[in-house]
Amino acid sequence: MDDSDIIFGIMASLGKNEYSFASLEYLTSPFSMTLSSLRTNLHRMTKKEMIKVRKQGKKAFYGFGKRGERISRKVALGFKKAPLDLMREMG
């Protein structure tokens, strides 16, 4: 799993509309992601239309782009189904 997968997974699983850079920095810190890697991956994901950026003064806020919205719905659905599948398997 690379850093962009971690960023996308966090954003999809928490289900918020937007995340500030500071929030993403905090949320990715347990994965030992550097600030440079976070910035680079956010830029690449923006170029691929996975996420979009909204600037408010000097602050940047990130949400899902058109491509990212479709994928995030599937990811979020997978997270919701997973506990039910585990419960069924445990019987």
Side-chain angles (χ1 to χ4, degrees):
M1 181 180 295
D2 63 15
D3 288 351
S4 61
D5 293 332
I6 293 169
I7 296 165
F8 193 88
I10 289 170
M11 290 175 69
S13 63
L14 295 178
K16 290 175 54 179
N17 290 330
E18 283 189 327
Y19 299 85
S20 68
F21 183 84
S23 294
L24 290 172
E25 179 184 6
Y26 176 77
L27 292 168
T28 58
S29 63
F31 301 96
S32 302
M33 191 177 304
T34 65
L35 286 178
S36 175
S37 180
L38 179 58
R39 280 190 200 97
T40 300
N41 281 287
L42 289 171
H43 177 75
R44 289 179 183 161
M45 293 168 73
T46 302
K47 287 276 190 192
K48 293 178 183 178
E49 297 183 353
M50 299 297 288
I51 62 173
K52 60 185 175 186
V53 61
R54 178 181 65 83
K55 297 210 175 183
Q56 184 176 345
K58 291 185 177 185
K59 293 186 178 190
F61 298 88
Y62 297 89
F64 290 112
K66 289 181 182 182
R67 265 181 90 190
E69 284 179 7
R70 288 192 314 265
I71 296 169
S72 71
R73 284 192 293 268
K74 292 178 184 174
V75 170
L77 185 61
F79 275 101
K80 289 177 185 174
K81 283 185 176 179
L84 293 175
D85 293 339
L86 288 172
M87 288 175 59
R88 287 185 193 122
E89 288 176 12
M90 294 172 74

